[in-house]
């Protein structure tokens, strides 16, 4: 979550809180003592020797064989070795420079900036948009989660679709002064809402290796805070028939049938508070190819401050979707559709996310865990249920409140309260989740919770300034499991902060970091962690800023066995590093730089959130 988002939505929130030739004839004649007989009688069953080979006889009257010279065979080409995916890059140092720093041998190109054209129109060129209609075609602001999709019958390593989230407007390129939803004009609201949602762009790699947006592509499309959306699932009847906009599109995910899942990390429309709150806080499914249903808010997946979605699929095409509620504190959820998905007919999956069971995670003190169904009539979800409230932020427990769950729509609409009633564990801002390619582990970043006052085994630090990463494994590695085991994978922090308390140190081996946020395990099983410590921020040690302790927000490779961390990329001034997508061969990484504040990406121009392309100059896979 961008700190800008958190600040902007605070006045409108209800419940809030603080990432594979010996067989030649000469050789036989030279080595076989019975070679004359072999040759006379036929070599390996060949009864005819060419006449040109019988030139004379020896003293015994036997023919002397003159073998014509065998042509020298062409050298056997040396096979091209398979690419290495060992993370052998030289780690970059922490720094506070106003640029993107990557290892030697890598390049960085800016692909798409806030205000660039997605759909045909006039892009930002130093002046505010003349009208909402102009801004509606621009790339939005605060680029966040994204996914890369293949096009039919096209080499995805050279061309494809990039779908990306826009969490919050880059107001500095939209309008003068600050934005106040209470006093904003209709045009100002429309311009602000144009800068959230998502964008889909067709991109391609040129002969020079650089990627560019393909202007004029029929796939290029903006879905904004002004667009119309429908709702599906059990709570659809409680939403507007035609919903205006989606916003606070933080991170994202995808389905096995290659649709895009964009997550609303807000439960109200703080840019236009006149809209019903119930229309927001959902996972929205969008087909980048525009073959399936119109963009749909999937209410069966629950209403809360969605961060991202990661799926686990089994060989029989059953699937679970894992989600975090980026709230201080929030719970971890998974949604299991009632039926298997089709891998041969995309259209058969159109309503798959409208029918299924939503679960909340409970982390027990002995390293076991369970998924508790959020189903009306189960786990205390009845009329008159008692919500224990936020039990982590004060040593004095809050007074329970009554909540009525009369039907499944009530459960989904009031998901956070239902999760607590059912006994879900409230976590330290669960953000991204990622699933290992072999299904043997799921990881979740718990970014921080400086306001925690009551600990539990899964959240062991009070005033958790720097966060931690949790690892859990489903029973039988099955997406349908209702039990799991868990452990704390690592705690963030730095030893130089020890004077401020043991909670600030952490146990990271190698390059340290604070506030893990973006998280993804790539198809080769390599874990990438992106950070979001607040800028400026509190390191926990008087006289040391968070940037002085850790440098700018960055992206790290973390070995899952020895937990060794290596800093791969450092961002420019004031930014958060977020969003990660890649081509199938992993030679191209797409990364988002959110809300920079200095002189980046274009010197002398207003800073703008941007998507960058990171490649090795020798075209080998990123990271090796």
């Amino acid at each position: 979550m961008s700190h800008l988002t958190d600040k902007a939505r605070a006045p409108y929130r209800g419940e809030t809180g603080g990432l594979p030739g010996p067989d030649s004839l000469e050789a036989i004649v030279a080595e076989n003592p019975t070679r004359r007989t072999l040759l006379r009688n036929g070599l390996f069953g060949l009864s005819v020797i060419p006449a040109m080979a019988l030139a004379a006889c020896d003293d015994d009257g036997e023919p002397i064989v003159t073998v014509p010279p065998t042509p020298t065979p062409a050298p056997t080409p040396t096979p091209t070795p398979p690419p290495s995916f060992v993370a052998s890059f030289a780690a970059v140092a922490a720094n506070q420079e106003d640029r993107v720093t990557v290892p030697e041998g890598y390049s960085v190109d800016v692909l798409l900036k806030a205000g660039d054209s997605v759909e045909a129109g006039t892009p930002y060129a130093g002046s505010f948009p003349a009208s909402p209609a102009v801004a509606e075609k621009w790339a939005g602001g605060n680029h966040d989660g994204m996914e890369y999709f293949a096009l039919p019958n096209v080499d995805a390593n050279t061309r494809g679709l990039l779908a990306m989230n826009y969490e919050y407007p880059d107001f500095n390129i939209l309008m003068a002064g600050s934005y106040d939803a209470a006093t904003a004009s209709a045009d100002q609201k429309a311009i602000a809402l144009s800068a959230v949602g998502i964008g889909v762009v067709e991109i391609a790699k040129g002969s020079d290796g650089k990627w560019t947006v393909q202007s004029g592509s029929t796939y290029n499309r903006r879905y904004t805070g002004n667009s119309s959306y429908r709702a599906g699932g059990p709570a659809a009847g409680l939403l507007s028939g035609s919903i205006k906009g989606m916003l606070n599109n933080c991170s994202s995910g995808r389905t096995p049938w290659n649709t895009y899942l964009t997550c609303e990390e807000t439960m109200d429309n703080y840019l236009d508070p006149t809209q019903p709150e119930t229309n927001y806080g959902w996972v929205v499914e969008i087909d980048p190819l525009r073959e399936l249903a119109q963009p749909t808010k999937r209410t069966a997946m629950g209403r809360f401050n969605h961060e991202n979605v990661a799926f686990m699929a089994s060989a029989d095409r059953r699937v679970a979707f894992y989600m975090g509620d980026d709230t201080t504190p929030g719970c971890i959820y998974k949604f299991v559709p009632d039926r298997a998905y089709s891998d041969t007919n995309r259209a058969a999956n159109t309503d798959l996310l409208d029918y299924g069971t939503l679960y909340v995670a409970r982390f027990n003190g002995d390293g076991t865990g369970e998924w508790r169904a959020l189903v009306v009539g189960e786990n205390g979800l009845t009329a008159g249920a008692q919500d224990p409230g936020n039990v982590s932020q004060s040593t004095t427990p809050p007074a329970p409140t009554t909540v009525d769950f009369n039907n499944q729509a009530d459960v989904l609409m009031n998901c956070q309260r239902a999760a607590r009633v059912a006994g879900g564990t409230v976590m330290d801002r669960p953000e991204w989740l990622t699933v290992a390619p072999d299904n043997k582990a799921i990881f979740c970043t718990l970014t921080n919770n400086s306001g925690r006052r009551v600990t539990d085994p899964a959240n062991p630090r009070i005033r958790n300034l720097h966060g931690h990463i949790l690892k859990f494994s489903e029973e039988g590695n099955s997406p349908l499991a209702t039990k799991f085991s868990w452990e704390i994978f690592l705690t963030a922090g730095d030893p130089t902060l020890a004077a401020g308390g043991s909670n600030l140190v952490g146990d990271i081996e190698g390059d340290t970091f604070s506030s893990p946020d973006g998280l993804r395990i790539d198809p080769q099983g390599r874990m990438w962690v992106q950070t979001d410590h607040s800028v400026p921020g509190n390191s926990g040690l008087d006289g040391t800023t968070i940037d002085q302790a850790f440098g700018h927000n960055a992206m790290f490779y973390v070995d899952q066995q020895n937990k060794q961390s290596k800093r791969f990329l450092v961002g420019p001034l004031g930014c958060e590093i977020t969003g990660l997508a890649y081509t199938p061969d992993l030679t191209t990484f797409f990364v988002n730089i959110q809300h920079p504040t200095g002189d980046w990406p274009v010197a002398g121009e207003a800073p703008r959130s941007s998507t960058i392309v990171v490649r090795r100059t020798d075209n080998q896979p990123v990271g090796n």
Side-chain angles (χ1 to χ4, degrees):
M1 178 201 303
S2 165
H3 67 274
L4 300 175
T5 294
D6 201 33
K7 179 180 178 181
R9 71 179 189 172
Y12 304 98
R13 294 171 65 184
E15 295 188 35
T16 62
L19 231 15
D23 297 327
S24 67
L25 188 58
E26 291 105 325
I28 296 170
V29 171
E31 294 176 12
N32 194 324
T34 60
R35 59 191 179 277
R36 294 186 177 93
T37 304
L38 280 169
L39 290 166
R40 184 168 54 239
N41 294 334
L43 181 63
F44 299 118
L46 297 176
S47 59
V48 178
I49 296 176
M52 62 183 294
L54 304 177
C57 295
D58 64 9
D59 294 340
D60 298 326
E62 293 187 354
I64 298 173
V65 178
T66 302
V67 180
T70 302
T72 302
T76 301
T78 302
T80 301
S84 170
F85 295 97
V86 176
S88 58
F89 65 90
V92 300
N95 67 72
Q96 299 183 59
E97 299 179 23
D98 194 17
R99 66 185 183 99
V100 177
T101 310
V102 291
E104 184 178 354
Y106 283 81
S107 66
V108 175
D109 297 304
V110 176
L111 177 70
L112 187 67
K113 306 179 295 297
D116 287 352
S117 291
V118 171
E119 298 183 14
T122 304
Y124 172 78
S127 59
F128 300 136
S131 69
V134 171
E136 197 79 3
K137 300 179 186 301
W138 288 1
N142 278 248
H143 302 40
D144 208 302
M146 59 185 163
E147 293 284 337
Y148 181 77
F149 293 89
L151 285 166
N153 305 312
V154 173
D155 180 2
N157 294 311
T158 61
R159 183 181 291 266
L161 299 181
L162 193 61
M164 69 179 69
N165 284 5
Y166 303 124
E167 182 184 350
Y168 187 75
D170 277 28
F171 277 114
N172 61 318
I173 67 169
L174 295 176
M175 59 188 68
S178 58
Y179 178 80
D180 184 347
T183 60
S185 68
D187 273 4
Q188 287 175 324
K189 285 182 179 180
I191 289 173
L193 289 166
S194 73
V196 295
I198 78 162
V200 178
V201 289
E202 182 178 354
I203 58 175
K205 184 166 70 171
S207 58
D208 59 357
K210 293 188 177 183
W211 289 78
T212 57
V213 173
Q214 303 303 288
S215 63
S217 169
T218 58
Y219 293 106
N220 294 354
R221 182 64 60 94
R222 277 301 320 276
Y223 302 86
T224 76
N226 296 307
S227 306
S228 296
Y229 304 84
R230 64 178 292 270
L238 300 181
L239 279 63
S240 301
S242 178
I243 300 165
K244 180 183 177 181
M246 58 178 175
L247 74 159
N248 228 108
N249 298 71
C250 197
S251 189
S252 56
R254 68 194 302 147
T255 65
W257 52 96
N258 288 320
T259 55
Y260 187 61
L261 300 177
T262 181
C263 300
E264 294 187 299
E265 196 193 26
T266 185
M267 295 168 65
D268 55 56
N269 191 331
Y270 56 86
L271 295 178
D272 183 4
T274 66
Q275 298 300 311
E277 290 187 356
T278 54
N279 284 345
Y280 309 98
W282 306 103
V283 172
V284 188
E285 184 179 17
I286 296 174
D287 180 15
L289 297 176
R290 302 204 301 277
E291 296 176 340
L292 305 181
Q294 71 182 88
T296 303
K297 301 198 176 190
R298 301 297 183 185
T299 66
M301 301 178 80
R303 177 172 174 260
F304 48 88
N305 297 302
H306 285 273
E307 178 71 19
N308 87 319
V309 181
F311 76 79
M312 174 189 289
S314 60
D316 58 357
R317 292 174 285 103
R318 295 305 302 272
V319 61
F321 296 89
Y322 299 87
M323 304 170 287
D325 179 4
D326 186 2
T327 303
T328 309
C331 292
I332 295 173
Y333 301 82
K334 81 169 177 179
F335 175 75
V336 181
D338 285 343
R339 68 181 193 271
Y341 67 89
S342 172
D343 57 3
T344 58
N345 180 9
R346 294 182 79 223
N349 305 313
T350 297
D351 64 349
L352 195 74
L353 299 182
D354 287 341
Y355 304 95
T357 303
L358 183 65
Y359 299 87
V360 66
R362 180 179 179 87
F363 295 85
N364 300 320
D366 60 357
T368 65
E370 54 191 288
W371 293 106
R372 295 198 172 181
L374 298 182
V375 175
V376 67
E378 299 181 21
N379 296 313
L381 302 179
T382 62
Q386 295 296 294
D387 174 14
N390 186 345
V391 298
S392 68
Q393 307 301 95
S394 173
T395 55
T396 303
T401 57
T402 301
V403 55
D404 292 328
F405 299 109
N406 297 310
N407 50 53
Q408 189 61 17
D410 287 343
V411 172
L412 298 170
M413 190 67 71
N414 300 286
C415 196
Q416 292 172 321
R417 303 185 72 182
R420 293 192 295 261
V421 169
T425 305
V426 289
M427 311 293 288
D428 288 347
R429 283 186 60 201
E431 299 220 30
W432 288 45
L433 289 102
T434 188
V435 179
D438 59 6
N439 288 356
K440 291 183 179 179
I442 304 105
F443 294 83
C444 179
T445 51
L446 299 160
T447 297
N448 52 48
N449 181 2
S450 60
R452 179 175 282 275
R453 295 297 179 268
V454 178
T455 65
D456 58 60
N459 304 274
R461 299 198 285 192
I462 61 169
R463 294 182 291 277
N464 185 7
L465 279 173
H466 301 305
H468 56 293
I469 299 177
L470 198 75
K471 174 184 179 180
F472 58 99
S473 300
E474 296 278 33
E475 188 174 65
N477 301 324
S478 169
L480 307 184
T482 57
K483 296 180 180 179
F484 58 87
S485 59
W486 68 271
E487 63 182 88
I488 293 176
F489 177 67
L490 62 79
T491 53
D494 189 272
T496 64
L497 302 175
S502 59
N503 269 6
L504 308 177
V505 174
D507 60 4
I508 297 173
E509 297 291 334
D511 295 330
T512 62
F513 53 78
S514 173
S515 304
D517 187 342
L519 181 69
R520 178 151 285 182
I521 297 178
D522 70 27
Q524 290 296 323
R526 304 175 303 175
M527 177 185 286
W528 303 94
V529 178
Q530 300 168 321
T531 67
D532 180 24
H533 60 249
S534 295
V535 183
N538 176 20
S539 72
L541 180 63
D542 289 342
T544 302
T545 69
I546 202 159
D547 275 2
Q548 287 172 338
F550 299 98
H552 288 169
N553 278 307
M555 175 169 155
F556 300 77
Y557 162 77
V558 179
D559 188 290
Q560 295 173 55
Q561 275 65 54
N562 61 27
K563 304 182 184 179
Q564 189 77 19
S565 170
K566 294 172 64 177
R567 189 181 293 100
F568 175 74
L569 176 153
V570 180
L573 183 67
C575 81
E576 170 189 344
I577 304 298
T578 184
L580 177 60
Y582 26 67
T583 53
D585 60 7
L586 299 179
T587 61
T588 303
F589 272 28
F590 306 98
V591 179
N592 280 328
I593 309 296
Q594 188 181 96
H595 58 70
T597 59
D599 199 27
W600 188 93
V602 181
E605 295 185 3
R608 291 190 267 169
S609 300
S610 301
T611 301
I612 62 171
V613 180
V614 180
R615 297 178 297 125
R616 277 184 54 147
T617 54
D618 60 4
N619 296 316
Q620 291 298 301
V622 171
N624 75 352

